[in-house]
Amino acid sequence: MRPASLLAAAVGLGLAACAQSTFITEVRGETTVPASLPGGSTELNAFPPISSFAGMDFDQNQDFKNQGLSKSEATSVHVDSLSLQILSPNDVDFTFLDNVEFFVRAGDRESRIAWKNDLSRGSPRAPNPTLRLDLADVELQPFVAAPTMSIIIRGKGRTPEREVRLRAVVRLEVESGLL
């Protein structure tokens, strides 16, 4: 084989070894919004926390483990999608809410990652509606690399007539650096 061919092959293999790797990881959680007291609804200005979204350590995340990647090796992390679904009762929609927001927090840093406004007018309808939130273009790598990271849900509206169980699904696109 000629030296030029060997050099081209070596450069090609070297570039392939330096390629970035991208994968999706998904975190899920559930919470229950309590029903209003008999006799009328009251203002809803706080959501119950989602316990599986508190104190997340991505070194324990199965998708990171499957990639052989530690959280400190992630070079970029962005929200790919965030959805909120009503699990029960199945005949309720999101019209009890005015708006909903999701924030990411690590230590004393916090940033809004997703939101949806005017839900009382534009809510997907039952049964078991799923709401796709608008996404902020926020770099989450510093949050993911922190000792722990939490995702917080906030919103405003009125307490529902019946208890409402919600599921949130956050899909993160993770890039790792040079291999």
Side-chain angles (χ1 to χ4, degrees):
M1 192 179 259
R2 296 176 62 184
S5 299
L6 285 174
L7 180 60
V11 168
L13 287 173
L15 289 175
C18 291
Q20 288 191 330
S21 173
T22 301
F23 66 96
I24 298 289
T25 189
E26 192 174 272
V27 291
R28 296 172 169 255
E30 294 182 13
T31 190
T32 301
V33 179
S36 60
L37 298 173
S41 67
T42 58
E43 189 174 322
L44 173 69
N45 54 18
F47 270 86
I50 299 174
S51 62
S52 61
F53 285 1
M56 293 183 288
D57 179 356
F58 281 89
D59 278 340
Q60 304 307 313
N61 178 289
Q62 191 60 51
D63 294 317
F64 274 71
K65 289 179 181 181
N66 291 347
Q67 295 292 322
L69 187 70
S70 73
K71 63 187 178 185
S72 63
E73 294 172 312
T75 56
S76 180
V77 182
H78 287 89
V79 177
D80 179 63
S81 67
L82 199 154
S83 63
L84 192 61
Q85 181 182 26
I86 294 178
L87 298 176
S88 68
N90 70 352
D91 61 344
V92 171
D93 60 26
F94 289 99
T95 54
F96 69 94
L97 292 175
D98 294 328
N99 65 52
V100 64
E101 298 176 294
F102 281 77
F103 293 81
V104 63
R105 179 184 292 159
D108 61 354
R109 293 186 60 189
E110 182 176 289
S111 189
R112 184 172 82 156
I113 58 171
W115 69 93
K116 189 61 94 173
N117 294 321
D118 297 323
L119 291 170
S120 59
R121 287 185 266 165
S123 171
R125 300 293 173 215
N128 303 102
T130 299
L131 185 64
R132 307 245 180 256
L133 279 74
D134 299 320
L135 304 176
D137 186 19
V138 177
E139 177 57 66
L140 299 179
Q141 188 278 335
F143 295 94
V144 168
T148 61
M149 177 185 109
S150 298
I151 298 174
I152 301 154
I153 182 173
R154 296 183 183 136
K156 294 190 184 282
R158 291 141 312 285
T159 54
E161 293 178 8
R162 296 179 283 168
E163 182 178 273
V164 175
R165 197 176 72 171
L166 301 170
R167 174 188 300 140
V169 178
V170 182
R171 287 175 42 100
L172 301 173
E173 181 179 43
V174 181
E175 270 185 29
S176 62
L178 302 178
L179 299 174

